[in-house]
Amino acid sequence: MALRALLGLHIHHLLLRRNPKFQKFPNYFNPTSLIPRSRTLISRFSSTGKNLILTKDERVGTSGTVEGLGTIAAIVTSLGGGPAAVGIVRLSGPMAVDVASRVFQPAKRNGEVPWRPRSHFVEYGLALDLEGNVIDEVLAVPMLAPRSYTREDVVELQCHGSDVCLRRVLRACLEAGARLAEPGEFTLRAFLNGRLDLSQAENIERLISAKSVAAADSALAGMQGGFSALVKGLRKQCIELLVEIEARLDFEDELPALDSSMLIDKINLMWHDVQQALDTADYDKLLQSGLQIAIVGRPNVGKSSLLNAWSKSDRAIVTEIAGTTRDVVEAHVTVQGIPVTLLDTAGIRETDDLVEKIGVQRSEAAAMSADVIIMAISASDGWTEDDKKLMEHLQMNQMSTSFATPMILVINKIDCAPSITEELFEINTRIFKKHVCTCAVTGQGIVELEKAVLEVRGLDSIPAGGRRWTVNQRQCEQLLRTREALSRLKSSICEELPSDFWTIDLREAVLALDEISGVDISEEVLSNIFSKFCIGK
Amino acid sequence: MRLRLRPMAAAAAAAAAVASPIIPSFLHPSRRLRLRLSLSIPRSTQRCFSSRSCVPRRRLTTVAASTAKGDIGGVEERFDVIVVGGGHAGCEAALASARLGARTLLLTLNIDRIAWQPCNPAVGGPAKSQLVHEVDALGGEIGKIADRCYLQKRVLNLSKGPAVRALRAQTDKREYAMEMKKVVESTPNLFVREAMVTEILVGNNDNVEGVHSFFGVDFYAPSVVLTTGTFMSGKIWVGRASMPAGRAGESASQGLTENLQYLGFETDRLKTGTPARVDRRTVDFSGLEPQHGDEQVSWFSFDPDFHIEREQMCCYLTRTTKDTHKLIKDNLHETPTYGGWVEAKGPRYCPSIEDKIVRFQDKESHQIFLEPEGRNVPELYVQGFSTGLPERLQLALLRTLPGLENCLMLRPAYAVEYDYLPAHQCSRSLMTKKIEGLFFSGQINGTTGYEEAAAQGLVAGVNAARHSCGKPLIVLERESSYIGTLIDDLVTKDLREPYRMLTSRSEHRLLLRSDNADSRLTPLGREVGLIDDRRWDLYQSKQARIIAEKQRLKSVRVSGGDLAAEVTLLSGQPVKDSVSLESILKKPHVQYNVLDKHGYGNNLLTRMEKECVEIDIKYEGFILRQQSQLQQIVNQQHRPLPEDLDYYSMTTLSLEAREKLSKVRPQTIGQASRVGGVSPADITALLICLETNRRKASERKRLELQRSSIADVNDLNSSPVLTSHAVNSN
């Protein structure tokens, strides 16, 4: 234990050192410093230029405005780069302490008292999920505003370095009310709150523009798999229910009464769907499944041999007969700490054999849902017409889903034809991000292949979770928030609250399910109302 | 007077139509070139009506030119505020302005049509009633007049939640106009005059100086509110026949559109319509479903002096039949939309009967309401039955409805097209961005409805008065009220149809209820100066009673007894021993009157006050949750944006965002985020630009200060911080 504590402290010191301003300018946070810190504190009752802006309900006691933005959380140490000793989940925002106190239980006190951390004072304790199960032993490092990286309240939870631990702690934080941070959001807040110098602003701008690209990418990435179909389906259902209810609120006397039992059934079904998805999408399982790599190619280029060589097993049957592999064969390997599932597929070709035909279909399906596609060709045969057809076919499939899975070209059986013509690669560099020469028999090229896989997935150098991971975390967060909203909705219905109250949580569910936030759902609901119902004077 | 004006206006229109495309410069030989050729061409083709002489138009400009030279002889008429238009927006604007002490002139085309209800004889309904309550809470008039002139009142959405509960009143159209006219005429500081405004007088600093009328009179004021309704280049249609008119039988206002275009405003055209009126005496009500008013009448106004009950009238429900549908389907080519001679699209929530039948083929019947237009007039308003069919088919169509088999038609249904100014040209104070002191409100901003007009009128009137005496303008934030939501939507979003207020347009409607409109807005009304001492005392004592009652309910506890038994029965939940009245009230289906029934109520409270208490207690959890969500976003949303931002220089914004933001010029970050085509990433980029600009500016300032006086550097450096703290502690 003492060791853990020391380790934690050590990391903390590192953190301090990383921000030299902490030490160089001890009065950096002095209120008389040049930069006013209160960028986010402009009161809504203040006069802005010529205009007096007012909002207030005198009957509801003003509970004081919450300063700044929402509270965000993310894993800030790198993931997927092999197990590290310590990983950090960072919380930042006005509710950071509040959220942390729901996740973190200090060892010294019992959980009854609200946790009142002393700033910059490390505490040892347990991280619990909302049901009270222990997730990990952690060190909590509270850094209260303004003496923190973002100048908001920051709490860092230092966990054991395994990805599983980190993800579970993060999930607990999200369940406790934090929102998953956008890429670069901590730095953005630091900047907007007056930290960092101007020269760094440019970097942030770059980060933000990269962010919108990343958002588009992740929206695209979300298109594959049942996950996003689920999210879209749920969102559509929520909107439909909203339309049913809202139409009757604005046009009461023109529509038949609401069929509330139908509504309740639908809501229950949706809740069930979300819960099921959350169960299956549990982080631990996601981590277990890791990356999926489909090995495709025309028959008899040595896909199965490659799988066997890579997984150092005899998982797949290898013969000289073309079309030996008929179903998808799985093998598991670990690439720099990331679990990887290799999918050996049936050679794709035109065939009349029914069993093989099904196999071919499955191969295509595997390729469609994989994270990386490895297309194998045989060096001895060179770039054949069939290879070309197959490549075009894969491209077509990708275009239909408008999502480009990175593809690697593996030139197998390199031992049979050691010299390869250069023009082969000139044709293919646009489609294949990498090419590797291998010899499945000797295991030559496997290391290079592993490196190529990490590179094309961008896992070699991404600091805080690869893009693929981010998508999953986000989807998980979406579902969590949706489940909360639907749970509240169910209880509203149970308590027989009027239908207007149902719309509040339905709207929240829709917002949670929106892949890109900031969409104006009011207009969407309205146009659905007008297209669905005949209303108006 | 009226008779003489009409042919002249028509002729003037014709003159513009004929002359402008051919020899534009000839049209306005005086002071300055008033028309832009490119803008005038499409407008003139719309108005090809007849081709008579263009003499009157020329005479008009000659007259205008001579007065503009400032000849002696005339009495110069100076005011603080001029309101153009005497409809629901104009009345509220003029009253608010005059009540704030501004010498106010209300110019209208016809004094006898002040506060006319040209369409539905009703006030309120979902979302609209919230607007009326809010206007009343701010000291406006619409709620009081509706309370005074109602024919029938009903509360809609009674069981659907306190936020969407809505009061609707059928009103006596003539009485309504008379009552409002009386108020307008008896308000000190308020002067009424008939005039057709054709020109805005603009000073050297792009500031408004007054208006110029058709007959050549200049009225001067530093603030002008335009509430032109459907009158600006209005044109009415029945079937294929059309004529320039603001409403049936009333001349349109000509010339102002061109003047506004000349001043650089963008104008566009909208369309709306009104159904036929039938003679009540010819309708057989025996087979129709009656719709009675509520037994317990509710009120728009928070002022109990206006809570005077009167006898109610009945509305009736009828339905379209197979014959109706057949007649319409057979004659679709005779309607403007399907015949293809009118392109302007009507609002989605006011579809014509032919639209309903075409779009919802599988619906066998549509319900039609028959609403009385007054106590002493035979007119019945046929709600849900507006049509573009020619008049010769309209009576036959009406007679397909059960109960109307032998009806007589008093007025045909007609559609009206009019000019409006897309409201992104206004800021949220409703002052235009181009001309200082010029305000727009009502249908000119693209809205529809008396309530929407009144709400804008009040804001414009208050701000016009404040502007005339140099006070800061008022902006109601979106989150504060339906009024704020309405105006924010208008000036921010790209609207394609007349805007009607709907509850689903408000993101936090649970907080914007009719019962708390006063506690949200009356303090502002008081601060502005529209709430007098009597109203303020009433308000304060009401709030005090509500707070005291909530305290009492918290502290009084009951055990067992009849109350507990009934509560168990009603809610289906057990009642614990020594339970507070507050917890009892939180239970489902338990209303305050249950407490009354068992002697636990408080007789000092009115029905409304009890309702307030009940809502506050019953929905406390939800209300607090919404409140805290709101507070989380509000700081970010209300961050002001400098007016002079150069969006085109912000290369990190998407091109679309740069264009849209330059056009709308939002005042806050929140408003910027609601501009169509602006993504969350754009908002982040905008925040970064702002922070970068701010730092550069403060860096520059610091260097300047350093240069000027090294000795003072320390003091001066701290000053920006101090000011920012002062702002925050407000």
Side-chain angles (χ1 to χ4, degrees):
Chain A
M1 260 337 80
L3 190 70
R4 278 283 282 129
L6 275 175
L7 196 60
L9 276 173
H10 179 64
I11 295 280
H12 186 211
H13 281 302
L14 278 177
L15 273 177
L16 289 182
R17 227 174 293 147
R18 204 180 61 201
N19 299 323
K21 278 178 181 161
F22 267 97
Q23 275 138 22
K24 270 192 204 158
F25 309 107
N27 65 341
Y28 185 72
F29 300 108
N30 189 315
T32 54
S33 115
L34 236 179
I35 303 152
R37 75 167 188 87
S38 45
R39 292 297 299 153
T40 55
L41 299 185
I42 290 163
S43 158
R44 43 194 184 123
F45 305 115
S46 73
S47 79
T48 58
K50 276 177 73 178
N51 300 303
L52 204 68
I53 296 164
L54 289 134
T55 60
K56 199 178 166 190
D57 178 0
E58 290 217 321
R59 232 163 69 203
V60 180
T62 42
S63 46
T65 55
V66 183
E67 291 162 3
L69 314 155
T71 299
I72 51 173
I75 300 166
V76 291
T77 43
S78 67
L79 282 173
V86 175
I88 296 174
V89 173
R90 181 190 285 158
L91 286 158
S92 175
M95 305 286 285
V97 171
D98 206 56
V99 172
S101 70
R102 260 172 264 169
V103 176
F104 175 68
Q105 192 182 56
K108 280 183 188 166
R109 279 158 286 171
N110 57 10
E112 298 290 312
V113 211
W115 184 49
R116 297 212 177 283
R118 192 172 138 195
S119 191
H120 297 82
F121 197 84
V122 180
E123 278 187 78
Y124 164 72
L126 297 172
L128 310 173
D129 64 18
L130 287 195
E131 279 93 52
N133 305 316
V134 175
I135 307 170
D136 196 8
E137 295 175 279
V138 298
L139 290 176
V141 186
M143 288 165 272
L144 302 184
R147 292 178 58 210
S148 70
Y149 180 58
T150 57
R151 289 198 168 176
E152 301 171 326
D153 283 351
V154 168
V155 178
E156 291 189 349
L157 297 173
Q158 303 183 356
C159 319
H160 285 105
S162 99
D163 291 1
V164 181
C165 283
L166 286 168
R167 288 179 208 287
R168 288 174 70 182
V169 171
L170 176 63
R171 178 169 169 170
C173 290
L174 299 181
E175 283 180 318
R179 167 172 77 68
L180 189 62
E182 302 283 338
E185 197 171 358
F186 292 108
T187 309
L188 174 68
R189 287 185 175 200
F191 178 73
L192 292 179
N193 290 333
R195 287 208 37 171
L196 311 177
D197 57 51
L198 258 184
S199 61
Q200 284 167 284
E202 212 175 292
N203 296 330
I204 299 168
E205 286 186 344
R206 213 173 294 144
L207 199 68
I208 299 306
S209 51
K211 180 186 122 187
S212 47
V213 175
D217 276 4
S218 70
L220 283 176
M223 285 178 70
Q224 55 170 299
F227 234 63
S228 77
L230 177 87
V231 166
K232 277 185 193 152
L234 285 169
R235 189 184 181 282
K236 199 169 152 236
Q237 286 184 57
C238 287
I239 292 273
E240 274 169 16
L241 296 185
L242 264 178
V243 165
E244 289 289 336
I245 301 172
E246 302 250 356
R248 284 163 176 88
L249 297 178
D250 274 318
F251 305 94
E252 186 208 32
D253 44 12
E254 300 173 47
L255 294 171
L258 193 65
D259 180 358
S260 49
S261 66
M262 177 272 292
L263 228 71
I264 293 164
D265 289 350
K266 278 195 177 168
I267 290 162
N268 279 328
L269 267 176
M270 277 160 58
W271 192 89
H272 191 72
D273 284 352
V274 173
Q275 186 56 47
Q276 221 172 22
L278 271 172
D279 289 346
T280 50
D282 203 278
Y283 270 173
D284 310 7
K285 285 184 187 163
L286 276 177
L287 194 69
Q288 277 165 21
S289 66
L291 280 180
Q292 292 213 327
I293 300 177
I295 307 171
V296 299
R298 62 185 172 82
N300 219 4
V301 292
K303 298 183 293 295
S304 301
S305 315
L306 187 65
L307 176 112
N308 286 348
W310 199 342
S311 60
K312 299 186 181 71
S313 67
D314 285 322
R315 185 70 189 76
I317 301 162
V318 178
T319 68
E320 291 297 315
I321 305 157
T324 304
T325 307
R326 298 204 157 188
D327 203 341
V328 176
V329 177
E330 274 188 37
H332 299 283
V333 294
T334 307
V335 178
Q336 294 196 14
I338 301 173
V340 169
T341 308
L342 298 175
L343 302 171
D344 179 25
T345 64
I348 297 175
R349 65 168 174 187
E350 304 265 1
T351 175
D352 293 329
D353 182 330
L354 180 66
V355 179
E356 201 185 341
K357 220 175 194 173
I358 296 169
V360 168
Q361 280 169 8
R362 290 193 178 180
S363 301
E364 289 189 18
M368 296 278 285
S369 63
D371 303 296
V372 176
I373 298 173
I374 291 178
M375 179 172 158
I377 60 170
S378 163
S380 56
D381 301 342
W383 185 251
T384 65
E385 200 57 33
D386 284 347
D387 287 321
K388 201 179 154 204
K389 264 191 203 156
L390 175 60
M391 184 191 75
E392 280 164 1
H393 187 66
L394 285 172
Q395 264 188 296
M396 285 290 285
N397 279 348
Q398 297 213 344
M399 290 222 286
S400 66
T401 56
S402 69
F403 171 67
T405 311
M407 285 170 65
I408 299 173
L409 182 68
V410 166
I411 303 143
N412 198 22
K413 305 187 184 175
I414 193 72
D415 49 335
C416 300
S419 63
I420 301 155
T421 47
E422 280 297 310
E423 71 247 43
L424 178 64
F425 303 116
E426 275 170 22
I427 311 163
N428 298 321
T429 40
R430 269 174 299 134
I431 299 139
F432 297 107
K433 294 203 172 161
K434 285 266 160 194
H435 66 270
V436 181
C437 301
T438 59
C439 172
V441 183
T442 60
Q444 181 197 334
I446 296 291
V447 176
E448 284 85 343
L449 183 55
E450 288 189 355
K451 237 176 97 184
V453 164
L454 291 180
E455 261 182 68
V456 297
R457 283 298 336 175
L459 291 171
D460 52 344
S461 60
I462 281 197
R467 191 182 300 157
R468 180 88 176 127
W469 295 120
T470 320
V471 170
N472 287 331
Q473 283 179 3
R474 224 161 266 296
Q475 286 175 328
C476 185
E477 190 214 10
Q478 284 180 338
L479 291 176
L480 277 175
R481 282 173 55 206
T482 310
R483 187 187 61 185
E484 294 314 308
L486 291 179
S487 301
R488 284 194 302 265
L489 177 55
K490 279 172 71 171
S491 75
S492 295
I493 294 170
C494 283
E495 288 164 34
E496 298 178 46
L497 280 160
S499 55
D500 179 33
F501 290 90
W502 305 8
T503 65
I504 293 174
D505 286 310
L506 266 177
R507 270 173 185 256
E508 254 174 49
V510 176
L511 287 177
L513 290 166
D514 267 327
E515 275 165 19
I516 300 149
S517 59
V519 182
D520 186 359
I521 59 171
S522 295
E523 193 44 50
E524 189 177 346
V525 169
L526 277 178
S527 44
N528 280 352
I529 289 178
F530 292 126
S531 61
K532 185 164 183 188
F533 301 110
C534 178
I535 37 190
K537 294 165 187 173
Chain B
M1 179 70 193
R2 305 290 315 153
L3 282 173
R4 236 177 296 146
L5 182 67
R6 231 175 283 142
M8 274 181 72
V18 175
S20 55
I22 308 163
I23 26 170
S25 61
F26 143 85
L27 246 183
H28 297 283
S30 58
R31 287 187 287 177
R32 44 195 149 144
L33 181 67
R34 235 158 264 165
L35 285 168
R36 281 191 196 162
L37 181 56
S38 59
L39 287 171
S40 67
I41 287 171
R43 293 220 30 72
S44 61
T45 48
Q46 281 169 356
R47 242 182 297 113
C48 269
F49 170 64
S50 71
S51 49
R52 266 183 274 164
S53 126
C54 50
V55 174
R57 182 70 187 177
R58 284 172 73 194
R59 199 156 66 218
L60 156 70
T61 47
T62 325
V63 174
S66 72
T67 41
K69 277 169 195 153
D71 287 352
I72 41 152
V75 181
E76 197 175 73
E77 305 203 54
R78 288 203 169 272
F79 298 88
D80 295 322
V81 173
I82 295 171
V83 178
V84 180
H88 302 275
C91 286
E92 292 292 350
L95 287 171
S97 161
R99 284 166 180 167
L100 294 181
R103 197 176 137 82
T104 305
L105 175 66
L106 175 65
L107 294 176
T108 172
L109 286 169
N110 184 346
I111 288 180
D112 296 327
R113 282 288 184 271
I114 282 179
W116 195 246
Q117 296 179 315
C119 196
N120 208 350
V123 170
K128 287 167 171 272
S129 67
Q130 272 89 332
L131 284 173
V132 177
H133 290 296
E134 288 179 357
V135 169
D136 184 79
L138 286 167
E141 205 61 32
I142 184 172
K144 295 178 194 168
I145 305 288
D147 279 342
R148 196 183 278 168
C149 307
Y150 73 93
L151 297 174
Q152 186 199 79
K153 276 193 178 180
R154 287 179 66 217
V155 174
L156 311 175
N157 287 340
L158 199 55
S159 61
K160 294 181 186 166
V164 292
R165 216 169 279 166
L167 176 60
R168 187 171 62 201
Q170 301 300 135
T171 52
D172 187 316
K173 172 176 290 196
R174 277 177 183 70
E175 193 186 8
Y176 188 99
M178 291 276 285
E179 287 296 323
M180 184 64 98
K181 185 168 167 245
K182 266 190 236 163
V183 173
V184 165
E185 284 169 346
S186 61
T187 299
N189 293 325
L190 180 50
F191 307 89
V192 184
R193 178 129 160 210
E194 281 191 358
M196 180 161 95
V197 169
T198 55
E199 204 176 302
I200 305 296
L201 305 176
V202 176
N204 294 329
N205 302 318
D206 278 347
N207 59 309
V208 81
E209 289 190 333
V211 295
H212 175 77
S213 83
F214 183 86
F215 293 124
V217 181
D218 288 345
F219 301 94
Y220 295 98
S223 299
V224 170
V225 184
L226 290 189
T227 70
T228 53
T230 58
F231 279 73
M232 213 158 60
S233 307
K235 183 181 187 180
I236 63 171
W237 290 86
V238 178
R240 274 175 205 273
S242 71
M243 66 188 286
R247 292 189 287 240
E250 293 180 69
S251 80
S253 159
Q254 306 290 0
L256 192 53
T257 307
E258 287 76 2
N259 179 243
L260 289 169
Q261 286 171 343
Y262 165 76
L263 293 174
F265 287 103
E266 173 193 339
T267 68
D268 209 335
R269 211 138 166 91
L270 283 177
K271 189 194 108 179
T272 186
T274 191
R277 311 297 198 276
V278 295
D279 192 327
R280 192 195 321 181
R281 295 164 299 187
T282 62
V283 176
D284 175 13
F285 295 104
S286 59
L288 301 184
E289 185 188 318
Q291 196 177 45
H292 297 284
D294 290 344
E295 265 177 43
Q296 199 155 35
V297 176
S298 305
W299 307 98
F300 287 113
S301 176
F302 290 100
D303 188 341
D305 283 8
F306 291 84
H307 299 181
I308 301 160
E309 285 201 37
R310 39 175 25 211
E311 199 188 327
Q312 298 198 51
M313 292 180 76
C314 197
C315 295
Y316 293 88
L317 183 60
T318 182
R319 314 194 122 265
T320 58
T321 58
K322 281 205 176 72
D323 292 342
T324 323
H325 292 223
K326 183 171 185 310
L327 201 150
I328 284 173
K329 281 178 186 160
D330 290 348
N331 291 287
L332 267 185
H333 57 282
E334 301 259 21
T335 65
T337 320
Y338 298 95
W341 65 86
V342 168
E343 273 177 50
K345 262 180 75 181
R348 289 175 294 180
Y349 34 76
C350 282
S352 59
I353 188 67
E354 52 264 24
D355 267 352
K356 291 189 198 176
I357 286 168
V358 170
R359 288 189 48 224
F360 297 90
Q361 301 269 6
D362 48 339
K363 228 181 152 198
E364 281 175 12
S365 177
H366 299 270
Q367 57 182 9
I368 306 291
F369 287 96
L370 301 176
E371 302 170 354
E373 293 216 309
R375 290 179 196 277
N376 307 313
V377 289
E379 276 119 308
L380 272 184
Y381 178 92
V382 189
Q383 201 228 78
F385 211 59
S386 63
T387 177
L389 281 174
E391 190 171 351
R392 65 187 160 79
L393 293 170
Q394 287 191 18
L395 183 61
L397 190 67
L398 285 166
R399 289 188 171 181
T400 62
L401 301 175
L404 275 72
E405 292 89 349
N406 299 308
C407 74
L408 294 178
M409 185 165 75
L410 292 171
R411 303 165 193 262
Y414 68 90
V416 58
E417 274 189 297
Y418 54 96
D419 285 335
Y420 80 106
L421 284 88
H424 65 78
Q425 299 170 96
C426 291
S427 64
R428 291 179 303 165
S429 60
L430 292 181
M431 186 157 91
T432 58
K433 292 168 185 166
K434 285 211 168 66
I435 309 288
E436 197 202 325
L438 181 62
F439 296 81
F440 292 159
S441 72
Q443 277 168 306
I444 192 173
N445 282 335
T447 59
T448 170
Y450 315 137
E451 303 83 354
E452 288 85 347
Q456 292 170 67
L458 182 98
V459 172
V462 166
N463 280 332
R466 289 175 76 89
H467 175 260
S468 72
C469 59
K471 283 186 186 157
L473 305 186
I474 303 277
V475 168
L476 280 168
E477 278 294 350
R478 180 180 189 85
E479 296 80 10
S480 73
S481 54
Y482 273 88
I483 302 179
T485 309
L486 165 76
I487 295 177
D488 186 79
D489 275 348
L490 285 181
V491 305
T492 310
K493 294 182 177 166
D494 195 11
L495 304 170
R496 303 260 164 221
E497 61 177 349
Y499 181 99
R500 169 174 162 185
M501 199 69 228
L502 298 162
T503 60
S504 36
R505 296 200 197 265
S506 166
E507 293 84 355
H508 298 94
R509 66 174 171 228
L510 184 60
L511 301 177
L512 308 182
R513 304 182 309 273
S514 49
D515 69 88
N516 72 353
D518 57 346
S519 55
R520 285 185 283 123
L521 296 169
T522 299
L524 171 62
R526 175 71 175 173
E527 201 181 313
V528 167
L530 286 175
I531 297 293
D532 61 17
D533 291 345
R534 186 187 63 88
R535 269 291 285 273
W536 185 240
D537 288 345
L538 282 171
Y539 167 77
Q540 284 189 310
S541 55
K542 175 183 170 186
Q543 299 309 313
R545 277 195 301 278
I546 291 172
I547 289 168
E549 177 64 3
K550 285 199 276 188
Q551 280 300 323
R552 185 185 76 86
L553 294 175
K554 223 180 226 150
S555 55
V556 175
R557 291 173 178 276
V558 290
S559 288
D562 290 349
L563 177 63
E566 181 163 1
V567 167
T568 309
L569 197 70
L570 282 171
S571 64
Q573 292 179 1
V575 178
K576 283 184 284 184
D577 263 3
S578 178
V579 67
S580 70
L581 292 177
E582 185 189 42
S583 332
I584 284 181
L585 212 48
K586 275 185 192 285
K587 291 190 182 292
H589 305 300
V590 179
Q591 293 180 327
Y592 192 98
N593 58 22
V594 178
L595 301 185
D596 280 334
K597 189 175 158 192
H598 294 274
Y600 289 100
N602 184 342
N603 294 331
L604 295 173
L605 269 67
T606 64
R607 183 162 59 93
M608 267 308 298
E609 289 160 3
K610 287 173 185 171
E611 199 183 304
C612 292
V613 169
E614 186 186 314
I615 290 168
D616 284 359
I617 289 176
K618 216 178 203 42
Y619 308 116
E620 191 186 16
F622 266 93
I623 291 170
L624 286 179
R625 202 177 105 213
Q626 290 259 299
Q627 199 96 23
S628 80
Q629 277 178 352
L630 194 63
Q631 276 158 356
Q632 282 194 26
I633 59 158
V634 137
N635 283 299
Q636 167 85 353
Q637 296 259 307
H638 292 190
R639 247 164 111 162
L641 288 171
E643 279 177 25
D644 53 353
L645 275 182
D646 179 9
Y647 292 104
Y648 282 109
S649 74
M650 299 182 185
T651 48
T652 43
L653 295 183
S654 70
L655 206 60
E656 189 185 4
R658 274 179 257 173
E659 277 169 14
K660 294 278 177 65
L661 288 171
S662 301
K663 187 175 165 190
V664 174
R665 306 210 75 76
Q667 288 169 303
T668 61
I669 288 285
Q671 202 193 340
S673 68
R674 290 187 290 275
V675 173
V678 175
S679 69
D682 289 325
I683 293 299
T684 313
L686 183 57
L687 285 171
I688 293 172
C689 288
L690 287 179
E691 175 69 9
T692 310
N693 288 349
R694 190 188 65 78
R695 296 225 196 147
K696 280 182 184 152
S698 77
E699 181 69 11
R700 259 199 311 278
K701 206 169 175 184
R702 196 177 62 89
L703 288 175
E704 274 168 30
L705 291 171
Q706 261 176 353
R707 230 174 287 136
S708 66
S709 162
I710 293 165
D712 286 338
V713 158
N714 285 336
D715 289 338
L716 290 165
N717 268 0
S718 59
S719 63
V721 177
L722 288 175
T723 31
S724 91
H725 276 275
V727 168
N728 293 322
S729 58
N730 278 347

